[in-house]
């Protein structure tokens, strides 16, 4: 993987605080002991810590990212109460690739032991990843995979994720059906992986994609883009929409009185599920789907990097493509299980995404 843990005798704490974006002092609470033998700079190259963890988040334009950071803070607090970690250094801003490179260099200067990154590009960060690896920093990419050999991708398979919704929609519109697609950010690695997976399904099912546009994972833009696509393509049978925009797309269908006439993929978020519930109560024929995209992938990555820092090695066969640890995609929300799944989250805020992460014990299972 190109990463080896470093051994350090101390930290320049004031320098780290100055160079970092935000340092979050987590509150202590009870937690299971982190997995691994730990040890203390032994032959396995690991350390018992405590470890400083950095976070590079280069896009803040969605509630999903806010939840991703929030749940990570909570899990970090659990580890801190056990003395496993000490500081969480967060670089989070709406930046381009160059801005994210600067974020990661800030974290390197902050003397972090590991970096969890939600990357803006699959390849453009390779050089700065190598710089971090040269300093003995463990790196985990979340939400979307990168190609660097210095990084362990801890992700769901985004192409597979999108194919689940696409297969449902293809079944709804049938061979020869016509759809429009509302995607995320043009060129963004998660968007490209998702759309690749969905397109493959549509091609195999004989579904025509009449038009495709981007709404940047924003509900308001999702409504506007969907409305414009429907105006330009009035005879479509369905709308494929990525999560973070499905409620907006549904509102566009409602404003045009097309609910029930045009099938739409949904999302496993409370706001959309509330509308889904209302429509189920008023129209027994209404159908939808929501495939969870868990923000707590950040928590799963934290479990992984802690074990790497403690000197554990991922077991043979766990990595795909040399550097990718694929997490299970959570159970899809369907008409069949909707009542149970909605009851679990209906009291959450509308922006809350149905969530899931591997437990510390499950993380242990990925290691030797």
């Amino acid at each position: 993987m190109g990463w080896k843990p470093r051994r350090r005798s101390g930290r320049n704490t004031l320098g780290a605080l100055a160079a970092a974006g935000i340092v979050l002092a987590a509150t202590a609470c009870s937690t299971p002991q982190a997995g691994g033998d730990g040890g203390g700079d032994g032959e396995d190259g690991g350390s018992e810590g405590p470890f400083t963890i950095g976070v590079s988040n280069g896009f803040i334009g969605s509630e999903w990212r806010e939840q991703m950071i929030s749940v990570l803070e909570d899990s970090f607090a659990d580890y801190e109460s056990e003395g496993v970690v000490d500081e969480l250094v967060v670089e989070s801003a709406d930046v381009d690739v160059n801005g994210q490179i600067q974020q990661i260099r800030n974290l390197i200067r902050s003397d972090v032991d590991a970096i969890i990154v939600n990357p803006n590009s699959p390849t453009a960060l390779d050089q700065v990843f190598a710089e971090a690896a040269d300093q003995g920093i463990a790196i985990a990419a979340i939400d979307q995979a990168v190609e660097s050999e210095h990084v362990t991708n801890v992700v769901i398979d985004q192409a597979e994720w999108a194919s689940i919704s696409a297969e449902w929609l293809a079944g709804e519109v049938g061979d020869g059906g016509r759809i429009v697609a509302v995607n995320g950010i043009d060129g963004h690695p998660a968007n490209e992986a998702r759309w690749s997976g969905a397109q493959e399904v549509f091609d195999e099912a004989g579904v025509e994609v009449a038009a495709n546009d981007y709404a940047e994972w924003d509900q308001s833009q999702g409504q506007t883009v969907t409305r414009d696509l429907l105006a330009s393509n009035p005879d479509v049978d369905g709308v494929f929409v990525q999560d973070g925009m499905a409620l907006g797309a549904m509102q566009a269908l409602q404003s045009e009185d097309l609910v029930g006439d045009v099938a739409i993929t949904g999302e496993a978020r409370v706001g959309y599920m509330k509308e889904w519930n209302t429509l189920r109560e008023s129209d027994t024929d209404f159908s939808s789907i929501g495939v969870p995209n868990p923000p707590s992938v950040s928590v799963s990555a934290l479990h992984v990097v802690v074990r790497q820092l403690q000197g554990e090695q991922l077991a043979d066969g766990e990595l795909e493509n040399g550097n990718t640890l694929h997490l299970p995609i959570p159970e899809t929300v369907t008409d069949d299980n909707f009542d149970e799944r909605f009851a679990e989250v209906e009291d959450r805020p509308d922006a809350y995404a149905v969530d899931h992460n591997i437990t510390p014990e499950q993380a242990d299972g990925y290691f030797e």
Side-chain angles (χ1 to χ4, degrees):
M1 290 294 299
W3 170 76
K4 294 182 180 180
R6 57 182 165 180
R7 296 183 175 89
R8 296 177 297 176
S9 58
R11 299 179 185 280
N12 183 346
T13 304
L14 292 177
L17 290 170
I22 306 169
V23 177
L24 298 170
T27 58
C29 59
S30 178
T31 181
Q33 179 65 39
D37 296 331
D41 293 343
E43 292 182 1
D44 61 2
S47 169
E48 59 186 8
F51 307 113
T52 297
I53 309 297
V55 178
S56 171
N57 177 40
F59 171 62
I60 59 173
S62 74
E63 297 91 347
W64 190 96
R65 297 293 182 108
E66 295 176 9
Q67 189 173 334
M68 177 193 80
I69 297 293
S70 177
V71 293
L72 178 62
E73 293 169 9
D74 292 342
S75 185
F76 185 90
D78 293 343
Y79 277 114
E80 188 188 37
S81 71
E82 297 293 335
V84 176
V85 297
D86 54 9
E87 293 175 348
L88 182 64
V89 185
V90 179
E91 291 274 346
S92 184
D94 215 357
V95 295
D96 58 12
V97 167
N98 288 332
Q100 190 161 41
I101 289 171
Q102 187 59 51
Q103 283 186 346
I104 296 170
R105 286 182 174 150
N106 288 345
L107 294 173
I108 294 171
R109 288 193 293 268
S110 297
D111 207 25
V112 299
D113 297 288
I115 295 172
I116 297 171
V117 56
N118 195 325
N120 285 352
S121 168
T123 57
L125 304 173
D126 285 0
Q127 178 58 45
V128 75
F129 287 151
E131 294 172 16
D134 285 344
Q135 298 298 315
I137 298 171
I139 313 163
I142 60 173
D143 194 25
Q144 49 248 325
V146 299
E147 297 182 9
S148 171
E149 65 177 356
H150 302 295
V151 178
T152 303
N153 296 311
V154 183
V155 295
I156 65 169
D157 186 328
Q158 294 287 1
E160 180 184 356
W161 177 91
S163 72
I164 297 171
S165 293
E167 287 170 1
W168 177 87
L169 185 60
E172 292 291 306
V173 304
D175 187 2
R178 300 180 74 247
I179 67 167
V180 293
V182 183
N183 282 312
I185 297 177
D186 189 14
H188 199 278
N191 180 83
E192 298 308 297
R194 289 178 172 189
W195 185 228
S196 175
Q199 276 187 306
E200 184 175 346
V201 170
F202 296 139
D203 289 344
E204 291 180 357
V207 173
E208 177 188 350
V209 180
N212 168 30
D213 205 349
Y214 304 91
E216 298 187 356
W217 292 306
D218 178 83
Q219 295 289 5
S220 178
Q221 292 191 55
Q223 181 176 2
T224 300
V225 167
T226 303
R227 185 187 63 228
D228 292 345
L229 288 171
L230 291 172
S232 302
N233 303 274
D235 57 346
V236 297
D237 307 296
V239 177
F240 174 82
V241 55
Q242 293 186 23
D243 68 333
M245 304 172 291
L247 179 58
M250 170 61 77
Q251 290 167 342
L253 288 184
Q254 290 171 323
S255 67
E256 299 298 324
D257 197 24
L258 292 173
V259 176
D261 296 325
V262 176
I264 181 172
T265 59
E267 60 190 358
R269 299 195 185 199
V270 172
Y272 183 87
M273 292 174 73
K274 286 180 177 177
E275 193 60 40
W276 186 351
N277 186 57
T278 299
L279 291 168
R280 277 167 57 88
E281 292 175 344
S282 61
D283 180 0
T284 57
D285 291 331
F286 178 78
S287 181
S288 194
I289 188 173
V291 186
N293 175 31
S296 283
V297 65
S298 57
V299 174
S300 299
L302 179 62
H303 295 329
V304 169
V305 297
V306 163
R307 282 149 182 78
Q308 289 179 319
L309 292 170
Q310 291 174 327
E312 296 193 42
Q313 299 294 318
L314 286 161
D316 290 343
E318 292 294 350
L319 293 177
E320 300 179 34
N321 303 318
N323 72 336
T324 300
L325 185 66
H326 274 139
L327 303 171
I329 296 174
E331 179 187 12
T332 299
V333 181
T334 66
D335 296 312
D336 293 335
N337 65 10
F338 179 83
D339 290 337
E340 176 185 356
R341 301 303 300 279
F342 183 51
E344 296 170 351
V345 298
E346 62 180 315
D347 294 331
R348 298 273 194 168
D350 285 359
Y352 180 82
V354 172
D355 212 351
H356 173 78
N357 58 268
I358 59 172
T359 65
E361 293 76 19
Q362 288 170 330
D364 288 338
Y366 290 109
F367 289 83
E368 295 177 351

